[in-house]
Amino acid sequence: MMTQDLPGQPDLAYRGHELFLEDVRLRDLAKQHGTPLFVYSKAAMLSALGAYQRGFAGRKVQICYAMKANPALGVIQVFAQAGCGFDIVSGGEMDRVLAAGGQAGKIIFSGVGKTRAEMKRALNLGIACFNVESEAELEVLSEVAVSMGLRAPVSIRVNPNVDPKTHPYISTGLKDSKFGVAHERVVPTYQRATGLPGIRVVGIDCHIGSQITQEGPYLDAVERMLDLVEAIEAAGIAIAHIDFGGGLGINYQGDTPPAAEQLWQKLLALLDARGFGQRQLMIEPGRSLVGNAGVCLTEVLYLKPGVQKNFCIVDAAMNDLPRPAMYQAYHQIVPLQANDQAESNWEVVGPICESGDWIGHDRTLAVQAGDLLAVLSAGAYCMSMASNYNSRGRAPEVLVHGDQSHLIRRRESIADQMQGESLL
Ligand code: LLP
C-alpha cells in the first residue's frame, strides 16, 4: 500500500488505507457533503496557537488572528474562545468578528484604504487600535474622530525595508511596497500625529510579508522597529505597544520555517537585551494558525491521458484553490484511500475554462475516475480567496473536533449567487 508523507499537518493521518483528520474519516465527509469540500481541524488550530502561547509565556502579548487567512465564522469563534484578538482589514471583517462572538476591544484595523464609513463604525465599536498606513489616512481619521467627539487610538505601520525572501506578491515590507510609512518618515509622522486633535498614539506596527521561512528577516525587522521606538520616545512620544505583524510560513512542500515557539523565544531575547522585554506586544499571525489545519476534498471526474501530458480533471478548481494560479503555489495532493495500483504522472486540473486552472503540476498518483483526493495545507487563503468564476458556487466548510464534525458553511447555491441581481 502506498501512503505518502503528510508534512506539516499533525492531525492528518492514514489509518489503514483511509485518510483521517483527527478522528473523522474524510471519505465519510465527502460522501455526506459532496465535493469540493473544505475540512478544518480544531485541534490543529489550537495546537498552532499553543506554539505562540508557549513562546510568549510570561509576557504581555495580544495575539490577533489575521482573519483574512480564513474568515469562516466557525473558525473565528475557535480563536475568540481561545482569547485571541483579531487583525482586520475591512468593515466586513469587523462584522464577522462580532457575529462570531469576538470582542471589539481586541480588534486592530490594518489596511491602506480604510473608508470614512469604516473608521466611523470602528470608532463607535471602540476597537483597540487603527494601524494607520499613511499621513493622508491619519488626517482623515483625526477628522472623523473629532466629528464624533473622540480620539482614535493609533499605531503607525512602519515599512522597515526588510526583504522577507518570499514571493513578490506577498512581500510587504520593502521600500517599493504600497504598505506602511517609510522608515525615514516615521518620526515626523508620529510628531504630526501627536499634533492632531482626533488622534491618540498608542503603538507602532509592521508586517514584512507572508510565508516567511527564515528567522533572519524577523531579527532584522525587530532591530529596526526597536531603533524607531527609541527615536520616537526620544522625541517625547510614548509607545505603549509594539506590534510585529504576522507572516510566519508553513510547511507546504518540505519548507522548514522556524517553529513559532522557538522563533519568538529568540526574538524576545533580543527585546530583553534592548530593554523592551516587558512592553505590551502584539502579533498578527494568519497562515501559521490555520494553513495546515485544513484540506480540500475533491473527486476525480475524468482521466485524459495525452501524448505530452496526462490530465487528471477534478471537481475543485482555481475558484476554490486560487493559490497555484496566483502564486505558482504548491499544495500536496494525496488520495483519501491509499491503494496499490500503478502510479503515473498527472497534471491535476479543474473544470474552469482557463489554462491557468491547475491545482498541481506533474504529480505522481495512482488514480481513477471517481477517486477522492485531498489537497493539503488548504486552511489559509483558499476559501478566503474563493470566487464564483464560471458561476461555480463556493464549497462548503466542515470543522472537525475529535470524532465530531460540524458543517460551518453550507454549499453556495446558484440561487445564493443570483440573489441581488436583476434583469433590465
Ligand atoms: N498582518 C497584515 C497587516 C497582513 O497584511 C497580513 C497578510 C497578515 C498580518 C497575516 O500574514 P500571515 O501570517 O498570514 O502570513 N494570499 C496570500 C497571502 C497574503 C497575505 C496578506 N497579508 C497567499 O495565499 O499566500
Side-chain angles (χ1 to χ4, degrees):
M1 181 186 69
M2 315 259 203
T3 57
Q4 305 191 22
D5 245 12
L6 306 172
Q9 296 213 220
D11 295 280
L12 186 72
Y14 285 99
R15 296 187 187 171
H17 291 243
E18 298 276 353
L19 192 61
F20 279 70
L21 188 60
E22 298 196 34
D23 297 324
V24 177
R25 187 163 73 166
L26 289 171
R27 194 157 59 92
D28 295 337
L29 292 180
K31 290 275 175 290
Q32 190 181 345
H33 301 285
T35 52
L37 170 70
F38 285 91
V39 190
Y40 310 125
S41 154
K42 181 176 175 183
M45 292 180 199
L46 293 178
S47 97
L49 177 63
Y52 280 99
Q53 289 167 330
R54 286 192 304 276
F56 281 99
R59 308 290 181 148
K60 286 185 269 181
V61 69
Q62 178 64 62
I63 300 173
C64 292
Y65 167 50
M67 57 173 286
K68 63 172 79 69
N70 188 326
L73 295 181
V75 171
I76 296 172
Q77 187 185 17
V78 168
F79 289 109
Q81 284 173 355
C84 288
F86 296 90
D87 171 59
I88 66 162
V89 289
S90 72
E93 289 195 340
M94 188 157 38
D95 286 328
R96 283 186 170 273
V97 170
L98 301 177
Q103 295 168 29
K106 289 186 181 175
I107 290 177
I108 54 178
F109 193 170
S110 302
V112 295
K114 303 175 193 78
T115 65
R116 284 169 192 262
E118 287 173 326
M119 290 172 177
K120 232 182 193 157
R121 177 143 166 72
L123 282 165
N124 259 326
L125 288 169
I127 68 163
C129 187
F130 290 84
N131 288 356
V132 169
E133 304 229 12
S134 65
E135 296 179 51
E137 182 192 339
L138 200 56
E139 299 278 346
V140 172
L141 180 58
S142 176
E143 237 178 81
V144 173
V146 166
S147 77
M148 300 169 72
L150 297 171
R151 271 177 180 261
V154 158
S155 157
I156 307 282
R157 175 165 174 184
V158 170
N159 181 337
N161 195 25
V162 167
D163 185 354
K165 304 193 166 59
T166 182
H167 192 282
Y169 283 11
I170 50 180
S171 293
T172 48
L174 280 169
K175 255 194 181 141
D176 59 358
S177 142
K178 71 173 176 179
F179 297 102
V181 171
H183 205 253
E184 52 281 10
R185 287 293 308 160
V186 170
V187 176
T189 305
Y190 271 97
Q191 284 166 328
R192 191 159 168 202
T194 51
L196 290 171
I199 298 296
R200 177 165 55 92
V201 169
V202 296
I204 186 168
D205 67 284
C206 74
H207 171 76
I208 56 174
S210 200
Q211 185 53 18
I212 299 169
T213 55
Q214 299 172 24
E215 62 182 30
Y218 279 103
L219 291 163
D220 291 351
V222 166
E223 292 279 17
R224 279 170 186 244
M225 288 285 281
L226 298 184
D227 292 346
L228 284 169
V229 176
E230 283 169 355
I232 297 160
E233 295 198 325
I237 303 165
I239 298 292
H241 77 249
I242 312 176
D243 170 356
F244 292 105
L248 183 59
I250 60 169
N251 182 358
Y252 285 102
Q253 184 188 19
D255 306 292
T256 52
E261 184 174 357
Q262 275 82 47
L263 174 68
W264 276 101
Q265 280 168 359
K266 203 165 222 178
L267 297 176
L268 286 165
L270 197 64
L271 284 156
D272 285 340
R274 294 189 53 175
F276 289 95
Q278 287 313 310
R279 248 344 129 100
Q280 173 67 44
L281 304 174
M282 292 201 189
I283 51 164
E284 308 165 2
R287 186 191 321 262
S288 52
L289 293 180
V290 291
N292 268 338
V295 296
C296 180
L297 309 185
T298 183
E299 182 179 331
V300 177
L301 297 174
Y302 302 102
L303 294 182
K304 188 173 170 182
V307 183
Q308 302 246 327
K309 282 178 174 172
N310 300 320
F311 292 97
C312 168
I313 301 164
V314 298
D315 65 1
M318 67 189 284
N319 73 301
D320 307 295
L321 296 161
R323 303 192 68 258
M326 278 184 81
Y327 317 112
Q328 296 77 48
Y330 181 96
H331 287 262
Q332 200 180 350
I333 302 170
V334 301
L336 292 201
Q337 276 185 300
N339 61 58
D340 292 322
Q341 284 153 24
E343 294 179 322
S344 335
N345 282 12
W346 298 96
E347 294 291 304
V348 180
V349 301
I352 282 183
C353 300
E354 293 224 21
S355 302
D357 180 26
W358 57 276
I359 311 291
H361 284 313
D362 201 20
R363 300 302 175 86
T364 307
L365 289 165
V367 274
Q368 291 183 347
D371 283 0
L372 293 163
L373 303 173
V375 180
L376 306 192
S377 309
Y381 302 115
C382 292
M383 249 320 258
S384 63
M385 299 202 300
S387 77
N388 290 125
Y389 191 33
N390 282 201
S391 292
R392 289 166 53 88
R394 280 172 302 164
E397 297 176 294
V398 168
L399 187 93
V400 303
H401 192 45
D403 60 1
Q404 301 292 306
S405 65
H406 305 271
L407 182 66
I408 58 169
R409 187 200 304 256
R410 65 167 167 76
R411 186 177 304 284
E412 195 176 20
S413 68
I414 188 61
D416 292 333
Q417 282 189 62
M418 293 193 296
Q419 183 193 32
E421 293 186 48
S422 51
L423 297 172
L424 291 183

